[in-house]
Amino acid sequence: MEKYVRTISDYPIPGVEFRDITPLLQDKDLFAEVIKKMTKPWESYEIDAILSIEARGFIMAGAIANNLGTAFVPLRK
């Protein structure tokens, strides 16, 4: 799965290595597999909502909340 996460060095500032998940998101089957694996540990719990921080977290958490049939709450900085 690592080949679907690109590392972009020195972005947005020198010394930072940005992890780009765009290739993972573009593969619908892989994206579904990742979300299914992230959802699995929580399937037996009664969850009121999934909370997540910005950007990539919104993408992943929204899909997980959908799989669990619960609410999604986006948290902003």
Side-chain angles (χ1 to χ4, degrees):
M1 232 178 278
E2 290 82 18
K3 71 179 186 173
Y4 290 93
V5 179
R6 296 185 303 178
T7 298
I8 301 172
S9 296
D10 298 321
Y11 180 81
I13 59 173
V16 173
E17 291 195 341
F18 178 75
R19 305 291 188 214
D20 178 20
I21 65 167
T22 304
L24 183 147
L25 299 175
Q26 292 174 337
D27 184 317
K28 66 180 178 75
D29 296 327
L30 180 60
F31 179 62
E33 178 185 340
V34 167
I35 295 302
K36 184 176 180 180
K37 285 182 178 181
M38 292 175 76
T39 302
K40 186 91 174 131
W42 309 105
E43 290 176 337
S44 63
Y45 292 89
E46 187 174 322
I47 297 174
D48 296 322
I50 302 292
L51 287 71
S52 178
I53 58 172
E54 296 190 53
R56 293 173 281 182
F58 288 175
I59 296 167
M60 307 308 267
I64 293 168
N66 182 68
N67 278 5
L68 292 172
T70 194
F72 167 63
V73 179
L75 300 174
R76 297 209 175 262
K77 294 178 190 175

